[in-house]
Amino acid sequence: MDFLIFQVPMLTLQATLDGLLLGILFALIAYGMALQWGVMNIINIAQGDLVILGGYIAYFMYLSGIHPAWGIIVCPIVMYFVGVGIYKTVINKVVDRDLFISILATFGISILMMQLMNFAFGADVVLANSEFGTTMLFNNSVTLPNSKIFSAVVSIVFAICLVLYMKKSKLGRAIRATAQNARAAKILGVDTEKVYAATFGINAALCGVAGALIAITFTIHPYMGLPYTIRSFMIVIVAGLGNLPGVAMSGMGLGVFEEFADYILGTEFRIGSVFLLLVLILVYRRFKLSRKREYLK
Amino acid sequence: MNRNLLLYGSILVFGLVAPFIFPAFKVQLSILCILIILATTWNIQGGEMGYNTFGNILFYGLGMYLCASVQVGMFFPLAEWTEGGGEKTFVHTPAQFFQGMGVGLLVAAVVPTIVAGLIGYSILGLRGHYFAICTLGLGVAAGEISGGIEIIGAGQGFTTPPFPNIGSTEARGEFFYYLSFLTLVLTFVVVKAIYSTRFRLVLNAIRDNDKVLQHLLFQTLEVLRQEENSFTI
């Protein structure tokens, strides 16, 4: 391995730390996807676009003089209602329908959101500057923007709150019951329609938080959503549905992979390598299962 | 049958005279033909076989870049062409243009077919959600990766050779329209012929019950896509 990143330990450390912090953020988005996938059996292709929309809310707060970090409070609230709105208008018609219909519907929402955001906010790459400063480690050879540390901490806090909410609250119990067996839950008095709407709303709210954090830490652009969808999907299939520690671990693994791919292949191949990794993981699993005459489903 | 013949006949006649009835819309009409080709070929896999794919753009893009690269690379150094302003340095003669394009179209039909075979072997074992997202990943990965390859112009794109200065000013639009229309007609005839064979039944059987079909000793068939033509860059 004749790459600079492996020859300079500090560079390796830098990439690893960057990747881990980034991965925690990915895991938060993937957590939302896993929740919704588990409960509604829908893969939301618009997941990444919800993230970007959340990011734009934080960006507009920043433009109007409010510190974008407050976005972590405002974005989930606004995005919850956006999520419920999308559920009521489109998703409720495709739950329990053929898989292709739901993927196509969310793919359509994704394209629509992209175009609307492009129309409303313009095609510029923007960021909400948090002015959090930078932390220097190891004699100034490793630099970590505080905004990245902030996003990782906020992501962890939100994930923990959600886990507790799902375990302790009445709605959380209803959501878990619906995920296990929607029909039985309905017979036992759970309003599954409400549960689905709430689940989609919670997923959108998580995307909103993640979006605000991405606007602070990185950059946002109307067409940047799809890679976040693919990343979440990849994290969920590697971890398995309902495996929360697995989601966190594979999220961080993906973050580190991306940082190393960035150093080794170059920034222009960063996103491409993520998509290729997804294909490779799927192909690997398919061949592994085909030996037992089974398939991924 | 007669009614169908009448319908196809009238569409054919309309297709032939359309650029003269709507001379200002030749480009749109060409794109219309291309979109019909894409929809027809997508239907083989997505509709008849039940494997919903979001990644066919991979083959489309591959065809585009291959055709344009062959057309340029046959006569001039490709790297210099794709550098800023390179397309102004070199000029194709009409013979070079059409010769390059013919070979380019052939390469653009053959290579994506091989690629589709290889990819199909790897991923057609996936089902449902996984297959759909995997193909979506492939399509976007192809776009991202081609945006990073210098020799084909990377992010700034590839300027294709301009149409040679022959005939009237309308020649370019008419040429590309009739080429698209001819491809559409050929695609339609080929797909229709395929659908009249046992192959269609196999495709439908895969869609309806893959597992039972495998027990009946069919192998999951790989649908190779051949109509990834490239003249719409």
Side-chain angles (χ1 to χ4, degrees):
Chain A
M1 291 285 205
D2 197 22
F3 293 108
L4 189 63
I5 189 168
F6 296 116
Q7 290 165 357
V8 185
M10 282 305 152
L11 217 52
T12 317
L13 187 65
Q14 172 84 58
T16 311
L17 286 175
D18 276 341
L20 288 176
L21 294 176
L22 180 65
I24 293 172
L25 198 53
F26 291 163
L28 183 70
I29 309 170
Y31 183 27
M33 178 176 258
L35 176 73
Q36 182 209 276
W37 186 351
V39 176
M40 302 161 80
N41 199 24
I42 280 182
I43 294 177
N44 182 12
I45 308 276
Q47 184 85 352
D49 301 285
L50 292 171
V51 172
I52 301 297
L53 186 61
Y56 270 109
I57 297 172
Y59 174 66
F60 279 98
M61 289 172 64
Y62 163 71
L63 282 189
S64 51
I66 307 167
H67 195 282
W70 289 111
I72 61 168
I73 311 285
V74 178
C75 296
I77 297 171
V78 177
M79 290 305 293
Y80 178 85
F81 291 106
V82 171
V84 173
I86 293 177
Y87 175 81
K88 298 258 179 199
T89 46
V90 182
I91 307 293
N92 65 351
K93 294 173 185 71
V94 297
V95 177
D96 302 330
R97 291 282 295 280
D98 179 29
L99 145 96
F100 184 59
I101 304 285
S102 64
I103 288 190
L104 202 60
T106 52
F107 194 44
I109 296 172
S110 162
I111 294 171
L112 182 70
M113 284 181 72
M114 264 189 240
Q115 299 296 340
L116 285 178
M117 286 192 285
N118 191 24
F119 180 67
F121 312 133
D124 293 331
V125 175
V126 295
L127 93 161
N129 194 351
S130 62
E131 290 166 0
F132 276 157
T134 309
T135 299
M136 303 292 219
L137 299 172
F138 303 103
N139 208 9
N140 292 352
S141 32
V142 173
T143 54
L144 284 181
N146 290 341
S147 54
K148 280 190 185 175
I149 301 171
F150 173 76
S151 358
V153 173
V154 172
S155 303
I156 293 171
V157 170
F158 265 88
I160 291 173
C161 288
L162 193 64
V163 170
L164 290 177
Y165 183 75
M166 295 298 278
K167 286 215 163 125
K168 306 281 179 196
S169 75
K170 203 176 160 197
L171 180 64
R173 267 205 306 277
I175 291 177
R176 283 187 293 132
T178 312
Q180 282 173 12
N181 190 333
R183 199 157 163 240
K186 210 169 183 177
I187 293 167
L188 292 170
V190 175
D191 185 350
T192 48
E193 188 68 11
K194 215 165 153 187
V195 165
Y196 286 150
T199 310
F200 205 85
I202 291 171
N203 173 40
L206 281 183
C207 290
V209 180
L213 295 172
I214 285 167
I216 293 170
T217 321
F218 304 99
T219 51
I220 50 168
H221 179 273
Y223 294 152
M224 233 181 220
L226 197 57
Y228 287 103
T229 306
I230 295 289
R231 283 171 182 132
S232 327
F233 180 79
M234 190 152 62
I235 292 168
V236 176
I237 57 162
V238 170
L241 273 177
N243 176 4
L244 282 186
V247 166
M249 295 304 289
S250 62
M252 288 192 275
L254 177 65
V256 173
F257 167 82
E258 259 190 48
E259 288 297 330
F260 277 83
D262 195 320
Y263 275 100
I264 295 168
L265 304 172
T267 308
E268 67 269 33
F269 294 115
R270 181 183 175 129
I271 303 288
S273 64
V274 173
F275 285 90
L276 273 189
L277 182 68
L278 166 80
V279 176
L280 289 179
I281 288 173
L282 285 172
V283 168
Y284 169 73
R285 291 193 62 180
R286 166 240 188 289
F287 278 110
K288 212 171 140 201
L289 282 173
S290 72
R291 273 193 229 127
K292 291 188 271 174
R293 291 190 168 271
E294 288 172 359
Y295 57 85
L296 266 174
K297 60 175 178 180
Chain B
M1 188 62 198
N2 279 339
R3 206 193 256 174
N4 271 354
L5 271 181
L6 199 69
L7 179 72
Y8 296 147
S10 44
I11 292 175
L12 193 67
V13 171
F14 175 76
L16 288 173
V17 296
F20 300 104
I21 306 174
F22 307 107
F25 294 98
K26 280 194 219 68
V27 176
Q28 285 82 348
L29 286 168
S30 312
I31 292 173
L32 179 72
C33 292
I34 304 291
L35 291 178
I36 299 172
I37 296 171
L38 290 179
T40 317
T41 52
W42 189 91
N43 185 49
I44 303 176
Q45 195 183 340
E48 299 289 334
M49 194 168 79
Y51 272 70
N52 302 312
T53 160
F54 288 95
N56 282 355
I57 200 69
L58 160 70
F59 307 117
Y60 190 66
L62 200 60
M64 278 182 177
Y65 273 116
L66 278 170
C67 179
S69 304
V70 168
Q71 199 182 6
V72 171
M74 269 175 74
F75 307 104
F76 310 115
L78 187 59
E80 285 177 43
W81 175 281
T82 47
E83 268 176 23
E87 71 278 5
K88 289 178 194 143
T89 320
F90 309 103
V91 180
H92 284 76
T93 61
Q96 285 177 332
F97 180 88
F98 291 109
Q99 206 182 333
M101 186 163 193
V103 179
L105 284 176
L106 200 66
V107 173
V110 173
V111 177
T113 310
I114 297 167
V115 173
L118 294 173
I119 292 178
Y121 174 70
S122 316
I123 69 168
L124 278 172
L126 299 166
R127 304 290 200 284
H129 292 67
Y130 295 97
F131 184 79
I133 303 271
C134 186
T135 49
L136 182 65
L138 268 177
V140 183
E144 289 288 338
I145 291 169
S146 56
I149 302 174
E150 284 290 331
I151 196 159
I152 53 168
Q156 54 173 309
F158 193 134
T159 312
T160 53
F163 194 73
N165 203 2
I166 49 166
S168 68
T169 47
E170 298 295 315
R172 179 180 182 275
E174 280 165 16
F175 173 74
F176 283 111
Y177 171 77
Y178 282 113
L179 194 56
S180 314
F181 186 66
L182 180 71
T183 317
L184 169 62
V185 173
L186 286 178
T187 309
F188 183 80
V189 170
V190 169
V191 170
K192 195 143 174 56
I194 288 175
Y195 284 167
S196 65
T197 61
R198 192 162 155 270
F199 184 67
R200 184 187 201 174
L201 298 177
V202 176
L203 290 181
N204 291 165
I206 292 173
R207 180 186 60 195
D208 297 337
N209 202 332
D210 196 354
K211 223 169 178 180
V212 171
L213 190 71
Q214 277 191 351
H215 286 283
L216 292 172
L217 296 177
F218 280 110
Q219 283 205 330
T220 303
L221 287 158
E222 290 159 15
V223 174
L224 304 178
R225 297 175 43 77
Q226 298 179 16
E227 291 83 6
E228 318 308 338
N229 280 313
S230 14
F231 39 81
T232 55
I233 309 174

